[in-house]
Amino acid sequence: MDAENRVILNVGGIRHETYKATLKKIAATRLSRLTEALANYDPVLNEYFFDRHPGVFAQVLNYYRSGKLHYPTDVCGPLFEEELEFWGLDANQVEPCCWMTYTQHRDTQQTLAVLDRLDLDTEKPSDEDVARKFGMEEEYFSGNISCWKRFQPKIWALFDEPYSSKAAKVVAGVSVFFIVISILSFCLKTHPHLRVPVINNVTVQISDNITAWTLDKESTEAHRAFFYIEAVCNAWFTIEIIMRFIVSPNKLQFCKAPVNIIDFVATASFYVDFMLNKLSNVENADILEFFSIIRILRLFKLTRHSPGLKILIHTFKASAKELTLLVFFLILGIVIFASLIYYAERIQDNPLNDFTSIPVGLWWAIVTMTTVGYGDMAPKTYAGMFVGALCALAGVLTIALPVPVIVSNFAMVYSHSQARARLPKKRRRVLPVEQVRPQRKGPGAGPGGPANRRMNAIKHNHPMKDAGNRIGNGEESIPMLMFNHSENREDSLPRTRPQSNVEKSPPRLVDIGHGSPTKAKRSIEESGLPPVAM
């Protein structure tokens, strides 16, 4: 009875033996519905064969035995999920001790999806990818591409893909050069030695009958050369953004991109400043210069040329929860310690008290918690010093806790981007597994598959008629020589019988003429065709 309840499972060449009752523990799964009528059942070996991963199946079978599903550390996560899906098991039944290791691949898949959106590839895209991006796949495969659609991807790659060609690298270098010159011009024109004083003639009344005039320095303005430098730079930025908009594959996505919005606003601010300040002579030009600070945001345009800067920006986006938590705890600590320091400094007599109110103490708290410590405000009493020490320690702990999460996010994205850059872009194509052809039904074919053919071969070779039945029941075994001989014959033979040379060659007509039968027989023998009985 014990032998009848046993079942042998051959998974990937490794044989596992268990009880049928063990496989019935988890209902509605593949192993709980094993019957001898399945195509993968071998009646000779009395086993079920599955061409699946044997390492994962060891954990699957252990799940049936113990009721606990553990994750193998030497198997990739998606492979483990595919195997569980094949065996009909729920992936959420993984034990808590293996859950973090099991879900790690999901974070990796999310990171790879982010890398696809960031477009960090530095290689030239193929023509098929470009056609798919511009939505002209049908024209590309049919060969009916218009002149504009032929040049549009080239111009787009010239301005938007710095690594697509040498000309694109030159254009990217020119763009970076003008960005750097624009930023330097914006910063240097505020230096006192590079500014020109604005002098006005002022009439002065010396006495009742005597008047004189003098020169009065009203203000200073940037040197005239900076205006021409900015004009040249903005001319390039204007041409660049117009060309990129015209040849962009998707105009709506182009307008929604944050970098393009910054570029447009920074370029438009120059023309608005020129019209209001130079043509209209608007007063309070310093206010207009303050709004022109948006031109410094052109530094974000460098993200198109620097994959590392893209990864850094994405790291802050991916760490938004941790950054929000950090800001929340900082605000909480700032308010608490600002209130404590205000009342702590009022406990003792303190004529040099710097904390006149709680809003003033907010500045001291934020400077202390961020470990900056300007020293412009400091507690003078012992109670205030104690509160200051607590504020400094709380600031260090509050900032130190979320920072490792941000660093790990950056390291993970950066490492995956580096690994992705080294991997081949085109994978080797793997052919699908050919399905076993169903057997022909006819008077000469048995009611079964390859197993029946094997059993028929054994029955013909074995001297005993009921050898197959005894083999299936395990009562008597076939001699090893006969078993190996029959199995080798079955494995060595192809699925379909190869045709002979006569069958492969086309039929030939032999002219036997109208002579005697002897002459006709000689003609057939010379042709090499087999004799046919009439």
Side-chain angles (χ1 to χ4, degrees):
M1 296 297 294
D2 182 72
E4 293 180 356
N5 291 327
R6 292 181 186 177
V7 60
I8 300 176
L9 305 173
N10 188 340
V11 180
I14 298 179
R15 302 173 79 247
H16 302 267
E17 189 171 358
T18 185
Y19 291 103
K20 295 180 181 179
T22 303
L23 302 180
K24 298 292 184 181
K25 290 182 178 180
I26 305 177
T29 58
R30 185 179 293 270
L31 294 179
S32 65
R33 299 190 296 264
L34 292 179
T35 60
E36 296 182 358
L38 295 177
N40 57 346
Y41 176 69
D42 191 344
V44 177
L45 301 178
N46 191 23
E47 66 181 19
Y48 296 88
F49 177 75
F50 297 93
D51 192 13
R52 307 299 298 187
H53 195 284
V56 176
F57 183 75
Q59 301 297 331
V60 171
L61 187 58
N62 183 66
Y63 180 38
Y64 282 89
R65 291 168 176 167
S66 63
K68 296 181 179 180
L69 181 59
H70 292 277
Y71 175 76
T73 57
D74 58 341
V75 176
C76 187
L79 174 60
F80 186 63
E81 288 184 346
E82 291 177 2
E83 292 297 316
L84 292 182
E85 182 180 0
F86 174 80
W87 298 111
L89 301 178
D90 187 7
N92 295 324
Q93 299 298 323
V94 177
E95 291 298 309
C97 59
C98 301
W99 182 254
M100 293 302 296
T101 308
Y102 167 65
T103 56
Q104 186 177 5
H105 73 279
R106 298 180 182 175
D107 298 334
T108 303
Q109 290 176 339
Q110 293 178 358
T111 304
L112 295 177
V114 168
L115 293 179
D116 293 335
R117 293 195 302 268
L118 292 179
D119 192 15
L120 300 178
D121 293 335
T122 58
E123 294 185 359
K124 182 180 179 181
S126 62
D127 296 338
E128 185 176 352
D129 295 336
V130 173
R132 186 181 301 108
K133 187 178 184 66
F134 282 84
M136 52 181 183
E137 291 181 278
E138 297 181 359
E139 294 88 345
Y140 173 75
F141 289 111
S142 62
N144 300 325
I145 302 178
S146 61
C147 183
W148 164 247
K149 289 187 177 182
R150 188 180 295 109
F151 285 99
Q152 182 183 3
K154 296 181 180 179
I155 302 175
W156 168 78
L158 188 65
F159 284 92
D160 212 86
E161 293 291 335
Y163 303 98
S164 59
S165 61
K166 293 183 179 180
K169 292 180 180 179
V170 173
V171 173
V174 174
S175 179
V176 172
F177 172 77
F178 279 113
I179 291 174
V180 174
I181 294 298
S182 177
I183 300 302
L184 287 177
S185 174
F186 181 80
C187 297
L188 292 178
K189 71 179 183 180
T190 60
H191 196 277
H193 296 291
L194 298 177
R195 296 184 68 87
V196 179
V198 178
I199 300 175
N200 295 327
N201 292 330
V202 179
T203 303
V204 179
Q205 188 74 26
I206 298 177
S207 61
D208 296 338
N209 298 325
I210 301 174
T211 59
W213 61 273
T214 182
L215 300 177
D216 183 28
K217 179 182 177 182
E218 181 180 355
S219 62
T220 59
E221 63 180 6
H223 196 276
R224 191 70 177 175
F226 290 106
F227 171 76
Y228 295 111
I229 293 175
E230 290 187 355
V232 174
C233 294
N234 280 272
W236 167 260
F237 296 142
T238 304
I239 297 173
E240 183 183 24
I241 194 171
I242 291 175
M243 292 298 298
R244 292 178 60 238
F245 176 77
I246 293 175
V247 300
S248 62
N250 193 326
K251 304 294 190 297
L252 183 60
Q253 292 183 358
F254 180 86
C255 296
K256 288 182 178 180
V259 177
N260 297 330
I261 294 175
I262 292 173
D263 191 13
F264 175 76
V265 175
T267 305
S269 66
F270 171 78
Y271 298 104
V272 174
D273 186 17
F274 174 75
M275 289 186 293
L276 295 179
N277 193 17
K278 304 300 180 181
L279 300 181
S280 301
N281 294 324
V282 178
E283 297 181 357
N284 298 326
D286 293 336
I287 299 178
L288 297 177
E289 290 185 359
F290 174 77
F291 286 106
S292 65
I293 196 173
I294 196 173
R295 299 175 196 173
I296 205 75
L297 298 179
R298 280 202 183 100
L299 288 173
F300 287 100
K301 291 181 62 177
L302 297 177
T303 56
R304 294 193 295 113
H305 312 283
S306 175
L309 192 56
K310 289 183 180 179
I311 295 174
L312 181 61
I313 294 175
H314 167 71
T315 302
F316 287 109
K317 291 181 180 179
S319 307
K321 295 182 180 179
E322 290 78 12
L323 292 174
T324 304
L325 186 65
L326 173 62
V327 173
F328 172 76
F329 281 114
L330 278 178
I331 294 176
L332 184 64
I334 288 168
V335 174
I336 292 175
F337 287 108
S339 304
L340 291 177
I341 197 66
Y342 171 72
Y343 290 104
E345 287 293 291
R346 294 169 62 91
I347 293 176
Q348 299 179 6
D349 185 18
N350 186 12
L352 301 177
N353 186 11
D354 295 329
F355 303 93
T356 57
S357 64
I358 293 180
V360 175
L362 293 174
W363 167 252
W364 169 86
I366 189 173
V367 170
T368 305
M369 291 193 70
T370 55
T371 67
V372 177
Y374 288 113
D376 53 347
M377 299 174 62
K380 304 298 189 303
T381 62
Y382 292 105
M385 293 178 183
F386 179 74
V387 173
L390 292 179
C391 181
L393 292 175
V396 170
L397 295 177
T398 303
I399 296 176
L401 292 178
V403 167
V405 179
I406 302 174
V407 174
S408 63
N409 289 337
F410 179 82
M412 181 177 60
V413 178
Y414 186 78
S415 61
H416 281 300
S417 64
Q418 294 297 317
R420 186 188 179 199
R422 296 186 182 96
L423 291 176
K425 301 302 178 183
K426 294 183 179 180
R427 295 288 184 177
R428 184 175 181 177
R429 186 178 179 183
V430 180
L431 298 177
V433 179
E434 295 183 359
Q435 300 294 332
V436 179
R437 296 181 180 178
Q439 300 300 318
R440 294 182 301 173
K441 293 183 179 181
N452 290 329
R453 293 203 308 272
R454 177 182 291 183
M455 292 296 296
N456 293 333
I458 294 175
K459 289 179 181 180
H460 287 299
N461 293 330
H462 202 271
M464 302 184 68
K465 296 182 180 179
D466 56 346
N469 296 329
R470 286 198 296 271
I471 293 170
N473 297 330
E475 297 177 357
E476 184 177 351
S477 61
I478 302 176
M480 187 59 66
L481 180 60
M482 180 64 68
F483 175 77
N484 293 335
H485 177 69
S486 61
E487 185 170 354
N488 291 336
R489 284 177 56 85
E490 178 67 23
D491 294 340
S492 61
L493 291 177
R495 294 292 181 186
T496 59
R497 184 182 302 276
Q499 298 179 352
S500 61
N501 296 330
V502 178
E503 295 177 346
K504 289 183 179 179
S505 59
R508 294 180 296 173
L509 299 178
V510 180
D511 186 11
I512 60 176
H514 299 281
S516 61
T518 305
K519 185 178 180 181
K521 182 178 180 181
R522 189 184 308 111
S523 300
I524 294 175
E525 290 177 355
E526 292 177 356
S527 63
L529 295 176
V532 180
M534 301 299 293

